[in-house]
Amino acid sequence: MKFNPDADLDTSGVEDTRGSGGGGGGLLPGGMGIPVGGGIGGVILLVVILLLNGTLGGGGGSDQPAARNTAAGNLGSCKTGKDISQNPDCAFVAYQNSIEGFWAAELPRRGKKYTKAPMRVFSNSVNTGCGPATAAVGPFYCPPDKTVYLELGFFKTLETDLGAKGGPFAEAYVVAHEYGHHVQDLYGILDRIKSREGADSDSVRSELQADCLAGIWTNHATTVPTKSGKPLITELSQDDIERGLDAAASVGDDRIQQKTQGQANPESFTHGTAAQRMKWFQTGLDSGDMTRCDTWSANPL
């Protein structure tokens, strides 16, 4: 994955609250607005870490996943693509800029107004419109405050505990998936979610659609310009795409359940199997067309 070193980075839509003390403890309570997209990790992630390692973070008695970067609040210094080589965390600003830049142009083209959603990077815990959350919840989108929440230590967990290959595009896939939920929210699709468990549940269909929408952005990623007209992402290799597909597979319900309980139970699926998640990401990637992401009328298998 290559970034344009001369492209401007816009930090206005990224809130880096690491080191600010966060807020609240515990997991997200369902009665305060249901968070979505946590199936990248979500509450399931907490179970995985506890069962595989006994503690959050996998060792040393830590109560949080291992941090990707110990620097707090450093995203505000990300100005151009060149800064990514000095501070890898700046890549998250680039992902956010490219993803929102795409949807801000694509939805009006289809007659739909796009409303921006900030991305809040936090450590330890955070207060949200969906209630308080800890890092163990994993990345998620909160509909009441229309914000994407990201704890960067998750990406180490994705590799060490869930077996993903990782890498920059695995990160980009996760961010794109969460913004896929924001697009769903703007279309009122999240209101359709009534059944939350089962292989054919609304929850599974929603998560697979967000994977497809992440694939849509991927299809167009190298053509999305910044305000200066220069694309942020100049190249995606086949290895990048494979790492994105691998990340999608690693958070499949069946993979997680096999790791934690030795067998998969479709009746408790909430996000789709590894094969389904790869299929729908690939569908978006191949087509670049939102109309191909209708997991509600299509058979998601």
Side-chain angles (χ1 to χ4, degrees):
M1 189 174 190
K2 294 184 179 180
F3 299 96
N4 184 344
D6 298 321
D8 295 328
L9 295 179
D10 180 3
T11 60
S12 64
V14 180
E15 304 171 13
D16 191 348
T17 63
R18 290 174 293 172
S20 64
L27 297 175
L28 293 159
M32 300 181 67
I34 305 297
V36 292
I40 289 292
V43 177
I44 289 178
L45 175 62
L46 173 65
V47 177
V48 171
I49 299 170
L50 288 174
L51 290 178
L52 292 182
N53 298 302
T55 62
L56 295 177
S62 171
D63 62 356
Q64 299 296 341
R68 167 195 164 99
N69 191 311
T70 57
N74 65 3
L75 296 186
S77 63
C78 302
K79 303 301 182 184
T80 69
K82 185 178 180 180
D83 293 332
I84 298 172
S85 62
Q86 301 298 319
N87 177 8
D89 284 2
C90 289
F92 286 90
V93 179
Y95 307 149
Q96 192 271 353
N97 286 184
S98 179
I99 294 163
E100 280 227 292
F102 170 70
W103 291 118
E106 179 67 9
L107 264 59
R109 191 176 71 82
R110 294 178 175 275
K112 182 71 175 177
K113 180 181 178 181
Y114 182 79
T115 302
K116 290 186 176 182
M119 182 177 74
R120 182 172 299 170
V121 179
F122 70 98
S123 58
N124 299 321
S125 62
V126 64
N127 284 321
T128 81
C130 296
T134 69
V137 176
F140 64 94
Y141 171 72
C142 178
D145 60 21
K146 300 193 182 308
T147 299
V148 170
Y149 289 89
L150 207 62
E151 201 283 330
L152 302 191
F154 166 78
F155 295 99
K156 184 168 182 63
T157 299
L158 187 65
E159 296 180 48
T160 59
D161 293 334
L162 300 182
K165 295 177 182 177
F169 192 73
E171 299 168 348
Y173 154 73
V174 170
V175 178
H177 174 100
E178 301 309 335
Y179 273 98
H181 284 305
H182 177 57
V183 172
Q184 290 176 312
D185 194 17
L186 294 177
Y187 276 96
I189 293 172
L190 297 183
D191 294 334
R192 296 188 190 181
I193 302 177
K194 307 301 181 184
S195 56
R196 298 192 175 274
E197 288 190 351
D200 197 38
S201 65
D202 296 338
S203 178
V204 165
R205 291 180 182 275
S206 172
E207 295 298 334
L208 296 180
Q209 185 174 57
D211 282 334
C212 186
L213 293 172
I216 297 293
W217 164 74
T218 303
N219 177 284
H220 299 277
T222 58
T223 64
V224 180
T226 61
K227 291 181 180 179
S228 63
K230 301 175 181 178
L232 271 170
I233 299 170
T234 58
E235 181 181 326
L236 286 177
S237 68
Q238 185 58 39
D239 179 66
D240 290 322
I241 300 303
E242 290 175 358
R243 286 173 180 269
L245 288 165
D246 173 73
S250 71
V251 289
D253 284 323
D254 53 338
R255 293 276 185 93
I256 290 176
Q257 290 185 2
Q258 286 285 353
K259 284 178 176 291
T260 59
Q261 59 196 34
Q263 62 181 6
N265 176 17
E267 293 182 0
S268 63
F269 284 179
T270 55
H271 299 87
T273 65
Q276 288 173 324
R277 301 198 73 160
M278 288 191 295
K279 170 193 170 180
W280 283 101
F281 176 78
Q282 189 75 57
T283 296
L285 172 63
D286 290 344
S287 68
D289 181 359
M290 289 179 65
T291 64
R292 297 291 299 276
C293 293
D294 185 5
T295 58
W296 299 88
S297 60
N299 183 346
L301 296 177

